[in-house]
Amino acid sequence: LNKLAISKEIEEESYKIIDSLLKELKLPLGELAVVKRVVHATTDLDYSKELIFHPQAISNGLKAIYEKKNIITDVNMVRVGISNYEGEIICLIKEESVLIRALKLNITKASSAMREAKDLMEGGIVVIGNAPTALFEVCRMVENKEVKPALIVGVPVGFVGALESKEKLKSLSIPYITNQGRKGGSSVAVAIVNALLKLSRGENNV
Amino acid sequence: LNKLAISKEIEEESYKIIDSLLKELKLPLGELAVVKRVVHATTDLDYSKELIFHPQAISNGLKAIYEKKNIITDVNMVRVGISNYEGEIICLIKEESVLIRALKLNITKASSAMREAKDLMEGGIVVIGNAPTALFEVCRMVENKEVKPALIVGVPVGFVGALESKEKLKSLSIPYITNQGRKGGSSVAVAIVNALLKLSRGENNV
């Protein structure tokens, strides 16, 4: 793949600024790479204090990537933002069966899409960037031992349920990356996963 | 289209919280709808003070929507986030010709994609949620009278160029929606356009 010199320059300049702003931050290499990419994507320095990593999050995420396991996302915005992955990136929210189940059970489409993806999650990475209801549903399936992903990236955003769904995620014994508070969103989710992908290729991320 | 009761409830609860948080905010209906949707999508109240509207932004945006003009986006994350539009939503960043021009001229792919879309912009809405370089390029084309979109939604994010590209946009005599500062991003851009689409259908947005 050809690399654009200008894009590389802009990214390097951005990381220089981030390095100077976060020079006091001490974290393991993998976590630092994720934090910096989220700050790069959002310009929101709060994430340097608010991202929370399960101790096995980075290693489990990298293992899933090396093994080309599925990446399952809650919304298509997250799916299309993840780049340069050799495995499958899957979002089922637009499937007709997902809509039918959602209407029948009066659950959200995002939640229904998680149930639909149940058999695709084993050893993979589940990425929730939008819908608290999707994160609640994955947590429920993990608790019931219906699914066992390697890593859950849970950074839904919203005034309703986002905080609570992240608390639920942290209560589970499964590796996760999440954040404090009600912020988050597709761009944050994408930045976390793209940071892991760059790490897996040994590319500069910091 | 079937509507999910649960999603509607969550949205209504979210808007109740936003209404109570922003009860002092006085804005025309259209601008208020956009501000509230951005706050709903980000939970970031700063946007209630930082979004900036050209006086003709809402009316021109609605006109373009009624006429089903093209919506041109800088990145695919923005394209897939816009929902329920009867016109075309176009992002050319993955076209081979866009990459070839970018490499030849050493410009970013996002900037090259804007040039590629030149003949598609007349009377339409150009939406930049990610790349300052794309916004600079659209501004250049507007200044040179090469393009005349009805509205530019310019909320790129980043430490490098985002502020400057928004200053450039505000200096033009074309309707725009932008924000103060280096924040922004795909979710903000999508929220702005989806608010306009809901307004155009007379749906509750506030």
Side-chain angles (χ1 to χ4, degrees):
Chain A
L1 191 73
N2 283 305
K3 289 284 175 189
L4 280 167
I6 184 74
S7 299
K8 206 165 157 277
E9 273 172 37
I10 292 169
E11 187 169 320
E12 281 175 4
E13 196 179 330
S14 173
Y15 270 93
K16 266 186 207 160
I17 295 166
I18 293 165
D19 283 344
S20 71
L21 291 169
L22 299 183
K23 60 177 180 288
E24 307 297 332
L25 191 66
K26 302 281 177 237
L27 283 175
L29 175 85
E31 296 180 14
L32 193 63
V34 170
V35 167
K36 286 188 180 177
R37 184 145 289 268
V38 171
V39 171
H40 169 72
T42 61
T43 72
D44 185 341
L45 295 171
D46 291 348
Y47 285 108
S48 68
K49 285 167 282 180
E50 292 171 359
L51 283 172
I52 308 166
F53 298 84
H54 181 282
Q56 267 78 55
I58 302 291
S59 56
N60 262 36
L62 290 174
K63 182 167 181 291
I65 289 167
Y66 290 132
E67 292 174 353
K68 299 188 177 62
K69 298 288 187 185
N70 294 331
I71 296 177
I72 313 286
T73 73
D74 62 337
V75 293
N76 278 308
M77 277 184 74
V78 176
R79 181 180 58 78
V80 304
I82 297 170
S83 51
N84 296 322
Y85 186 48
E86 289 174 16
E88 301 270 352
I89 311 169
I90 299 162
C91 175
L92 300 178
I93 199 163
K94 292 278 175 82
E95 298 291 315
E96 202 186 349
S97 51
V98 167
L99 177 61
I100 290 168
R101 184 197 290 105
L103 288 167
K104 199 167 141 187
L105 303 180
N106 196 28
I107 59 177
T108 65
K109 280 190 289 180
S111 174
S112 174
M114 288 297 119
R115 291 197 198 186
E116 187 84 5
K118 195 178 96 168
D119 296 337
L120 304 170
M121 289 181 185
E122 180 67 32
I125 303 179
V126 177
V127 188
I128 312 290
N130 187 287
T133 55
L135 183 52
F136 276 124
E137 181 58 21
V138 178
C139 289
R140 191 195 61 78
M141 293 194 294
V142 168
E143 268 192 322
N144 288 355
K145 302 196 192 322
E146 295 174 44
V147 298
K148 200 183 174 196
L151 171 66
I152 299 175
V153 176
V155 289
V157 62
F159 289 104
V160 182
L163 275 172
E164 296 82 355
S165 67
K166 291 167 191 175
E167 288 304 316
K168 184 75 205 172
L169 176 61
K170 286 186 284 180
S171 78
L172 302 179
S173 61
I174 195 164
Y176 60 78
I177 300 174
T178 186
N179 69 311
Q180 289 168 34
R182 59 196 180 189
K183 283 193 298 187
S186 299
S187 302
V188 175
V190 164
I192 292 169
V193 178
N194 282 340
L196 290 173
L197 288 169
K198 281 174 86 80
L199 267 177
S200 78
R201 295 190 295 269
E203 288 178 21
N204 266 356
N205 226 322
V206 289
Chain B
L1 193 71
N2 283 305
K3 289 283 174 190
L4 282 168
I6 184 74
S7 298
K8 208 168 155 274
E9 273 171 37
I10 293 170
E11 187 168 321
E12 281 174 4
E13 196 180 330
S14 172
Y15 271 94
K16 266 185 207 160
I17 295 166
I18 293 166
D19 283 344
S20 71
L21 292 169
L22 299 183
K23 61 176 180 288
E24 307 297 334
L25 191 67
K26 302 282 178 236
L27 282 174
L29 176 85
E31 296 180 15
L32 194 62
V34 171
V35 166
K36 286 189 180 174
R37 185 142 289 267
V38 171
V39 171
H40 169 73
T42 60
T43 72
D44 185 342
L45 295 170
D46 292 348
Y47 284 110
S48 68
K49 286 167 281 180
E50 293 171 356
L51 283 172
I52 308 167
F53 298 85
H54 180 281
Q56 268 78 57
I58 302 292
S59 57
N60 261 37
L62 290 174
K63 183 168 182 291
I65 290 167
Y66 290 132
E67 293 174 353
K68 300 188 178 61
K69 299 289 190 184
N70 294 331
I71 296 177
I72 313 285
T73 73
D74 62 337
V75 293
N76 278 307
M77 278 184 74
V78 176
R79 181 180 59 77
V80 305
I82 297 170
S83 51
N84 296 322
Y85 185 48
E86 290 175 15
E88 302 268 352
I89 311 170
I90 300 161
C91 175
L92 300 179
I93 199 164
K94 291 277 176 84
E95 298 291 315
E96 201 187 348
S97 50
V98 166
L99 177 61
I100 290 168
R101 184 196 291 105
L103 289 167
K104 198 168 140 187
L105 302 180
N106 195 29
I107 59 177
T108 66
K109 280 190 289 181
S111 174
S112 175
M114 288 296 119
R115 292 198 197 185
E116 188 84 5
K118 196 178 95 170
D119 297 336
L120 303 170
M121 290 182 185
E122 180 68 30
I125 304 179
V126 177
V127 189
I128 311 290
N130 186 288
T133 55
L135 183 52
F136 275 124
E137 181 58 21
V138 178
C139 289
R140 192 195 62 77
M141 292 194 294
V142 168
E143 267 192 323
N144 288 355
K145 301 194 190 327
E146 294 174 44
V147 298
K148 199 180 174 196
L151 171 65
I152 299 174
V153 176
V155 289
V157 62
F159 289 105
V160 181
L163 275 172
E164 296 82 354
S165 67
K166 292 168 190 174
E167 288 304 315
K168 183 75 204 175
L169 176 61
K170 286 186 284 179
S171 77
L172 303 178
S173 60
I174 195 162
Y176 60 79
I177 301 174
T178 186
N179 69 312
Q180 290 168 35
R182 59 196 179 188
K183 282 194 299 189
S186 299
S187 302
V188 175
V190 164
I192 291 169
V193 178
N194 282 340
L196 290 172
L197 289 168
K198 281 174 87 78
L199 266 178
S200 77
R201 295 189 296 268
E203 288 177 23
N204 267 355
N205 226 322
V206 287

